Amino acid sequence: MNRELTDQLNPTICRRMLITHLIETLPKPNNPALEEATGWPRRTVQDVIAKGLPGHGTQVEFIQEGVRNNDGYYALRDWGSFNGEWVREHLTEICQVLDVTLES
């Protein structure tokens, strides 16, 4: 782990990068799956997706399944200004900044 990097990373940006990474990697990532993966409240996850990601040009689409409004999952269409490769390479540091432990 790169301690110098973790000292420089902004937690708000790290939340956005982590949610983007999880949307790309989890099978059918919906709000409950993202809440479980991060340990964050529903509102935090929703705010990151609805308000945080669009400001970086990150494009996330909700894929509707079933008849209820929340039946479905998110799909990543574009990382926007984030570099997905960089995020994957520095996922340990991002998680350290956020005090999140991801299941392997």
Side-chain angles (χ1 to χ4, degrees):
M1 177 173 37
N2 184 338
R3 181 69 182 160
E4 184 177 325
L5 178 61
T6 58
D7 289 344
Q8 295 174 2
L9 289 173
N10 179 303
T12 300
I13 302 301
C14 286
R15 274 192 294 277
R16 295 170 184 176
M17 289 188 291
L18 181 59
I19 288 291
T20 304
H21 169 76
L22 291 171
I23 290 171
E24 181 183 63
T25 59
L26 289 176
K28 295 195 175 186
N30 57 16
N31 272 37
L34 293 168
E35 293 164 34
E36 183 178 337
T38 60
W40 301 338
R42 174 184 56 85
R43 191 72 205 163
T44 300
V45 171
Q46 289 176 327
D47 283 351
V48 169
I49 294 169
K51 299 174 185 174
L53 296 182
H56 294 276
T58 305
Q59 296 176 8
V60 173
E61 178 183 357
F62 187 76
I63 309 297
Q64 183 73 37
E65 287 188 334
V67 294
R68 294 176 49 217
N69 285 341
N70 60 352
D71 286 343
Y73 59 94
Y74 296 104
L76 180 64
R77 298 297 179 220
D78 192 315
W79 275 88
S81 64
F82 296 131
N83 180 326
E85 185 177 323
W86 188 93
V87 171
R88 287 185 287 277
E89 289 174 9
H90 297 91
L91 192 57
T92 301
E93 290 85 359
I94 291 167
C95 288
Q96 178 73 26
V97 168
L98 299 171
D99 195 26
V100 170
T101 303
L102 296 180
E103 299 284 325
S104 296

